[in-house]
DNA sequence: AAAATGACCGAAAACGCTTTCGATTTATCA
DNA sequence: TGATAAATCGAAAGCGTTTTCGGTCATTTT
């Protein structure tokens, strides 16, 4: 770092910049002002029993010496870290690349940051030692946990739910903790209603993996909506699309295409699966929406950018993140009862569906 | 929380579970084993001067009492937090939804987690008080910072670069700190070579915003590659695509479409801009690649999933994240010299380019 | 003028860990 | 067997805060 040395000879302020992270402590500013560290601390935390005059003096010194309290020491003393743990539970291994997860977390992040919380990603190994997510959270001293989970039964998640550490689970149902998820059932209704109104009667469903909560919910929603319209649910028209990937949707659609008696419309439990399905349709020399109507679920970024623009059920991911933040912070502040928040959903009509021929 | 109370009456182990986060400390396990906290600490940290026998005893107690060291206290004492700060600098406000950023960070995350580090998102307000990213990092006591920056000149980023806190900057160039980015220049060469070899001579460039490093780099690369082939660079064929969004690409392409003398191919500085451009082309009743060849930059997830599949320059985002982790951890361990890492790039031929008519 | 009140401030303990330094015990050697 | 070295452990200080408790003034009350 010769660079800094050279600079420092000529420019005193640059030298200070370099030393900036040699931590100035509360002692330094106590020494400078002549007050005790107690008084300094009280001034910084807006206690009433410190006169305006000394408070002003102290704050000036703080400003001048570029002091910020060490959050680690503060946390040790107060047991409040102002940090929230976040956990992704999914089997694809794509983590932050997951288009639903990252949208939700971005909304969550924006909300909690306003309240002064930082986000910290929790994993399962700390310095080589495998530990549970909960243990990691405890070890780190976070004030609460948000988990975004695609998996239905997960012992890790259950451990968190059973703990007294404030938490919120996104995209999972439980009566024992705070949960928030979209109104999947109503979403399915909207989708099927839409297809029905276009004249479709033979409707297939590309289902999400049965080990995922939303996969199961949407399958349930599909069946119930079909029943509402008095439509038959051919077992062969319900095909597994795997873990919501485009590839899974592609494979599922290929199965549907091989049938002699084909559906006229397909409702995919996720946008990526819908994209995969459309790819399979194109490859078979057929067209969307002329030969097949396709409707997705999620409304991820690119649903409106790639042709044919995908008709889909929109999840309000910002709102989900926001709500999750709300109930979590509430749980942190005053240990409220477990709450279930179901956020509204919306049909977005685009180009991938049309009336049956 | 009546739930827990009821349980605890009947089931002692469930009760323990509930109390699990009432922190068992090193004192507890000292008391239980009869050794001093010093010895316990040494046993846990693999010091040599503790006998195998007592070590075993202590580790058993640790296991039994479900003890994990409090990382906050440990950090305060050792000045090592095993946490890395990450910062997004971008003007779109999409944060984690940014397809390049989140891919890179996912790769980074996986690498550092293996070494025992946690990731913490840094923002600029701590409990209502605005502070700089650097101050926030210092305040939090992270061991290092990774910044993913799209902006060329940013005082915040410069502050970090100038600090002694180990850091790595992704997608920015500087000789004063660790940086890692793709071989943008060569990427542009590959793109133009490809178009040239297909017979294209009138090539337009949808440029990234000039305040971004990659925007400037790719513009430079475009010009230099064109020159290499002895091709003219019509000023009107270089059009600003804004902040790499689909919308920006859309608007840019519309400008190109209005010209009487149109290009036959367009090289967009980002995939999203390429998507936007293709949308504009379709809306004009024209086709890709029949009427226009389009090539992008990035190879984001959906480049290979939406029709026409996009020919593009692939950035190896996993590798970028991985390399960033490598140099950052190296900088933390032994304060090495600033390093510049340029990661290789690749042409992915797909359907959006064809030979000129 | 003495006593009571309130405003303002400091000493010290605590948070849970690491680490230095020294003490005690055990093993080793002559 | 006595001296010495090695192995094993504990006391205590320290990391940078917060917070309890009490003390010193100046001010008010009677």
């Amino acid at each position: 770092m010769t660079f800094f040395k050279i600079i420092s000879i000529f420019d005193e302020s640059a030298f200070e910049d370099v030393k900036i992270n040699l931590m100035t402590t509360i002692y330094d500013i106590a020494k400078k002002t002549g007050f005790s560290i107690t008084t300094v601390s009280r001034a910084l935390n807006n206690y009433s029993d410190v006169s305006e005059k000394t408070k002003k003096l102290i704050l000036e010194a703080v400003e001048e010496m570029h002091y910020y309290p060490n959050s680690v020491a503060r946390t040790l003393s107060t047991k409040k870290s102002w940090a929230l743990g976040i956990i992704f539970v999914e089997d694809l291994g794509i983590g932050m690349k997951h288009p639903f997860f990252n949208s939700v977390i971005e909304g969550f992040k924006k909300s909690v940051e306003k309240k002064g919380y930082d986000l910290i990603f929790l994993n399962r190994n700390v310095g080589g030692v495998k530990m549970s997510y909960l243990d990691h959270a405890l070890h780190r001293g976070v004030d609460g946990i948000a988990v975004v989970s695609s998996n239905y039964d997960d012992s890790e998640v259950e451990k968190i739910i059973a703990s007294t550490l404030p938490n919120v689970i996104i995209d999972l149902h439980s009566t024992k903790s705070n949960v928030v998820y979209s109104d999947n059932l109503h979403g399915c209704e909207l989708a099927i209603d839409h297809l029905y109104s276009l004249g479709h009667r033979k409707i297939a469903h590309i289902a999400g993996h049965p080990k995922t909560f939303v996969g199961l919910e949407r399958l349930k929603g599909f069946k119930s909506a079909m029943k509402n319209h008095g439509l038959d649910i051919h077992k062969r028209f319900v095909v597994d699309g795997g873990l919501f990937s485009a590839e899974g949707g592609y494979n599922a659609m290929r199965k549907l295409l091989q049938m002699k008696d084909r559906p006229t419309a397909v409702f995919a439990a996720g946008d990526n699966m819908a994209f995969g399905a459309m790819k399979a349709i194109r490859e078979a020399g057929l067209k969307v929406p002329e030969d097949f109507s396709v409707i997705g679920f999620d409304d991820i970024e690119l649903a409106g950018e790639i042709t044919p623009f995908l008709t889909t059920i929109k999840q309000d991911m910002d709102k989900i993140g926001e709500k999750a933040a709300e109930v979590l912070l509430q749980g942190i502040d005053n240990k409220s009862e477990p709450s279930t928040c179901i956020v509204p959903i919306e049909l977005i009509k685009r180009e991938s569906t049309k009336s049956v021929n």
Side-chain angles (χ1 to χ4, degrees), chain A:
Chain A
M1 289 284 196
T2 1
F3 168 72
F4 292 126
K5 290 212 189 101
I6 292 168
I7 288 279
S8 69
I9 294 170
F10 300 106
D11 182 344
E12 198 57 27
S13 72
F15 184 65
E16 275 179 39
D17 268 8
V18 168
K19 295 181 58 177
I20 231 171
N21 51 10
L22 295 186
M23 187 80 72
T24 100
T25 76
I26 204 173
Y27 285 92
D28 298 325
I29 99 121
K31 198 187 302 171
K32 184 180 179 84
T33 59
F35 293 102
S36 72
I37 60 162
T38 307
T39 302
V40 173
S41 173
R42 271 192 291 233
L44 290 172
N45 293 297
N46 286 315
Y47 275 60
S48 60
D49 58 350
V50 37
S51 74
E52 281 306 319
K53 205 174 70 184
T54 81
K55 187 174 189 169
K56 183 154 165 285
L57 253 36
I58 288 175
L59 291 183
E60 279 172 8
V62 162
E63 183 77 17
E64 186 179 341
M65 301 189 74
H66 205 83
Y67 165 80
Y68 283 109
N70 176 328
S71 85
V72 176
R74 188 199 287 254
T75 299
L76 183 59
S77 171
T78 59
K79 309 243 160 279
K80 168 110 186 169
S81 65
W82 291 99
L84 265 23
I86 103 108
I87 296 171
F88 283 171
V89 178
E90 49 94 30
D91 292 331
L92 251 34
I94 57 176
M96 304 181 51
K97 290 189 274 189
H98 195 299
F100 173 78
F101 285 8
N102 66 30
S103 295
V104 167
I105 292 304
E106 180 65 24
F108 180 80
K109 177 164 171 276
K110 286 208 177 102
S111 286
V112 300
E113 277 176 356
K114 268 186 223 145
K115 304 286 187 176
Y117 288 89
D118 284 331
L119 239 51
I120 166 165
F121 275 90
L122 265 22
N123 54 69
R124 293 197 51 196
N125 55 307
V126 173
V129 189
K130 277 264 179 259
M131 64 200 310
S132 74
Y133 284 119
L134 178 60
D135 287 331
H136 191 163
L138 265 17
H139 161 88
R140 267 289 175 204
V142 299
D143 297 332
I145 305 184
V147 1
V148 194
S149 171
S150 63
N151 288 4
Y152 194 71
D153 273 325
D154 189 286
S155 67
E156 287 289 322
V157 176
E158 279 172 359
K159 236 185 274 184
I160 291 169
I161 292 178
S163 82
T164 57
L165 193 57
N167 61 76
V168 58
I169 322 288
I170 294 162
D171 247 18
L172 203 62
H173 180 72
S174 166
T175 56
K176 300 179 202 157
S177 187
N178 300 307
V179 293
V180 12
Y181 50 84
S182 287
D183 194 344
N184 291 295
L185 265 27
H186 185 232
C188 295
E189 254 183 286
L190 290 177
I192 302 304
D193 286 1
H194 173 61
L195 293 175
Y196 188 91
S197 74
L198 290 174
H200 293 280
R201 295 297 177 266
K202 294 197 291 184
I203 303 175
H205 180 52
I206 299 183
H209 198 285
K211 83 172 168 189
T212 64
F213 170 71
V214 296
L216 285 175
E217 281 288 288
R218 290 171 197 172
L219 176 57
K220 193 159 75 175
F222 167 73
K223 287 182 177 170
S224 127
M226 290 290 277
K227 198 166 293 173
N228 284 348
H229 286 292
L231 297 179
D232 294 337
I233 302 160
H234 300 294
K235 202 165 182 182
R236 67 180 202 287
F237 277 2
V238 175
V239 6
D240 183 24
L243 293 169
F244 295 86
S245 68
E247 195 188 347
Y250 175 82
N251 293 332
M253 190 67 216
R254 289 194 50 157
K255 280 189 203 138
L256 290 171
L257 285 164
Q258 284 165 7
M259 300 176 182
K260 337 99 275 284
D261 182 29
R262 288 171 177 166
T264 62
V266 357
F267 167 41
D271 280 353
N272 272 326
M273 295 196 297
F275 291 142
M278 293 199 293
K279 180 173 173 183
I281 293 171
R282 266 194 313 273
E283 279 189 12
L286 299 167
K287 295 203 151 188
V288 174
E290 290 76 5
D291 301 303
F292 288 100
S293 279
V294 174
I295 183 167
F297 207 115
D298 282 343
D299 195 33
I300 64 176
E301 203 77 24
L302 281 118
E305 289 179 10
I306 77 178
T307 26
F309 303 141
L310 185 69
T311 295
T312 191
I313 305 298
K314 176 191 176 72
Q315 295 199 72
D316 193 341
M317 307 173 202
D318 274 342
K319 177 70 113 219
I320 293 177
E322 208 175 287
K323 277 291 174 189
E326 193 180 313
V327 305
L328 180 56
L329 297 191
Q330 199 168 306
I332 290 174
D333 290 343
N334 38 325
K335 304 279 173 197
S336 45
E337 293 294 309
S339 82
T340 296
C341 177
I342 296 180
V343 346
I345 220 155
E346 193 183 347
L347 169 68
I348 307 287
K349 294 186 201 172
R350 294 205 184 90
E351 307 173 350
S352 66
T353 48
K354 72 177 272 290
S355 58
V356 73
N357 305 323

